[in-house]
Amino acid sequence: MQKAIIFDFEGTLTKKNQNIWKMLWEICGYETDKSSLYSKLYVGFVVNKKITREECFNLTCEAFKNKNLSYSQLYSVSKSIELTDRAKELILKLYNSGYKLFIVSGSIIDTIELVLGDYVKYFEAIEANKCVFDSNGKLQKLILTDYDYEGKAKFIELLKEQGYTKDNIVFIGNGYNDEWAYKTGCLTICFKPIDDDINNLNKRQSDIYKKQDSHNPKNLYNVCKKLR
């Protein structure tokens, strides 16, 4: 039976405090403090749920287009994002041990591919949002992934349809948009959670993140070996 490891990306495989969306707002010249449009959209969508994810992205796209966000700017900020220490070692160890690796993220596909470099080849699939640029390299539109927030559970269910069982899937994340994964019944591991709410054990099937270091591939590899 094949065994699947699904990673979130930012804050899980990358170093903390490197959010591509915040970085793009800043490179466009916008403020990102609590009174900024960036923060208001975050609160409106994630906290107050007064706007949908689609509305949030449409307003974000409009703001970026107003500042002529370019591919070269996306490339520049993406290349500044770093993988966690020994992340590449972990990816290789899992891949060479026969695990099927996936990334399901609310980040941007171009960013993930640029950060991973040659290590992209070790992943069966990478699901994330996409920036579309015109012939002049200016942002044209944002395409939302179907596999963020509730969609992360949807991706896990798709794997089940392909023959994986909940006992052969582990999801590894760190953020509020990863909360839906645990509802599928697969093992979920939260490393270095980004807020206190996510640190609530009632919302996780594993407290391994309290005992292990996400930067240490040996520890995470030993957890993954527990998959039946």
Side-chain angles (χ1 to χ4, degrees):
M1 175 67 71
Q2 290 185 332
K3 300 177 181 180
I5 312 294
I6 307 170
F7 288 98
D8 173 48
F9 187 66
E10 291 184 356
T12 300
L13 283 175
T14 68
K15 293 184 177 179
K16 222 173 173 184
N17 301 321
Q18 293 182 316
N19 182 287
I20 185 61
W21 294 108
K22 183 177 181 181
M23 295 166 79
L24 289 177
W25 278 90
E26 291 173 343
I27 203 170
C28 283
Y30 291 105
E31 298 294 330
T32 55
D33 58 23
K34 290 185 178 180
S35 63
S36 66
L37 177 59
Y38 164 81
S39 294
K40 288 177 180 178
L41 289 178
Y42 172 87
V43 171
F45 165 49
V46 175
V47 180
N48 296 333
K49 304 187 186 305
K50 290 185 176 181
I51 61 174
T52 65
R53 186 162 69 102
E54 290 76 11
E55 289 171 330
C56 181
F57 266 71
N58 287 339
L59 291 169
T60 297
C61 184
E62 182 180 338
F64 287 173
K65 289 173 71 174
N66 286 340
K67 296 290 187 176
N68 293 312
L69 177 69
S70 66
Y71 177 78
S72 63
Q73 289 175 306
L74 173 64
Y75 181 91
S76 175
V77 294
S78 297
K79 293 297 285 186
S80 70
I81 295 175
E82 299 178 274
L83 292 172
T84 58
D85 299 334
R86 302 173 69 187
K88 290 182 177 180
E89 180 183 343
L90 169 62
I91 292 168
L92 274 177
K93 191 172 184 65
L94 291 172
Y95 179 84
N96 290 332
S97 297
Y99 294 99
K100 299 298 182 181
L101 307 181
F102 302 85
I103 290 176
V104 180
S105 171
S107 185
I108 299 170
I109 287 180
D110 283 344
T111 297
I112 295 172
E113 292 178 344
L114 285 167
V115 175
L116 285 176
D118 291 341
Y119 279 68
V120 166
K121 64 187 178 185
Y122 297 114
F123 291 88
E124 295 292 306
I126 296 174
E127 298 290 347
N129 302 293
K130 185 173 180 60
C131 293
V132 178
F133 297 88
D134 63 22
S135 58
N136 295 315
K138 301 299 182 181
L139 181 68
Q140 184 178 30
K141 62 181 178 179
L142 298 176
I143 300 177
L144 277 68
T145 175
D146 290 331
Y147 304 114
D148 200 7
Y149 294 89
E150 296 93 332
K152 296 204 176 191
K154 179 181 176 181
F155 183 86
I156 293 170
E157 294 301 332
L158 288 177
L159 287 186
K160 290 181 182 180
E161 292 175 8
Q162 297 173 25
Y164 293 92
T165 70
K166 65 180 180 63
D167 295 324
N168 294 108
I169 300 172
V170 60
F171 184 94
I172 304 164
N174 78 318
Y176 50 85
N177 59 333
D178 300 320
E179 288 293 338
W180 284 267
Y182 88 98
K183 296 179 182 179
T184 65
C186 73
L187 173 65
T188 55
I189 300 173
C190 182
F191 277 120
K192 302 186 183 300
I194 60 176
D195 61 43
D196 291 338
D197 183 56
I198 294 163
N199 201 32
N200 183 345
L201 278 180
N202 293 328
K203 296 187 176 181
R204 288 292 183 219
Q205 291 175 283
S206 172
D207 63 355
I208 198 71
Y209 65 87
K210 282 191 168 185
K211 305 170 185 176
Q212 307 288 358
D213 176 6
S214 62
H215 295 189
N216 190 329
K218 180 180 178 181
N219 288 339
L220 185 50
Y221 175 72
N222 288 335
V223 173
C224 294
K225 283 199 302 184
K226 295 180 181 179
L227 288 176
R228 294 186 287 275

